[in-house]
Amino acid sequence: MEKASRTFGRSELAQQYFPRLSAMSAWRKFKEWLIVNPNLRHLYDLTRRTFTPAEVQLIYQELGEP
């Protein structure tokens, strides 16, 4: 999980899961995944636009690496 060792912008991470979508569309789709997953729902409510390395690692655990 080398990728989880750094901070990711939320759109940047979303585009890793949805590489064919624009940044905005990828983030919208990714938000849906966060909302429906009870272990990730709290990340949807963040006001900052980045995910910490620990949050990225949690996302990878729940969704798998992109």
Side-chain angles (χ1 to χ4, degrees):
M1 288 202 181
E2 182 180 326
K3 293 180 190 176
S5 64
R6 70 176 190 91
T7 299
F8 276 87
R10 61 186 190 185
S11 293
E12 177 187 13
L13 185 59
Q15 281 193 294
Q16 297 222 350
Y17 283 93
F18 305 102
R20 293 191 171 137
L21 298 180
S22 69
M24 185 178 287
S25 295
W27 171 239
R28 284 186 191 133
K29 185 90 168 160
F30 194 69
K31 281 193 307 188
E32 293 174 13
W33 285 14
L34 296 179
I35 291 168
V36 299
N37 187 312
N39 295 325
L40 299 177
R41 190 173 296 135
H42 69 282
L43 298 175
Y44 169 75
D45 294 326
L46 296 176
T47 55
R48 58 186 152 77
R49 295 180 179 259
T50 59
F51 292 116
T52 66
E55 292 165 343
V56 172
Q57 188 169 3
L58 176 62
I59 291 167
Y60 286 174
Q61 287 173 358
E62 291 294 317
L63 303 178
E65 288 193 41

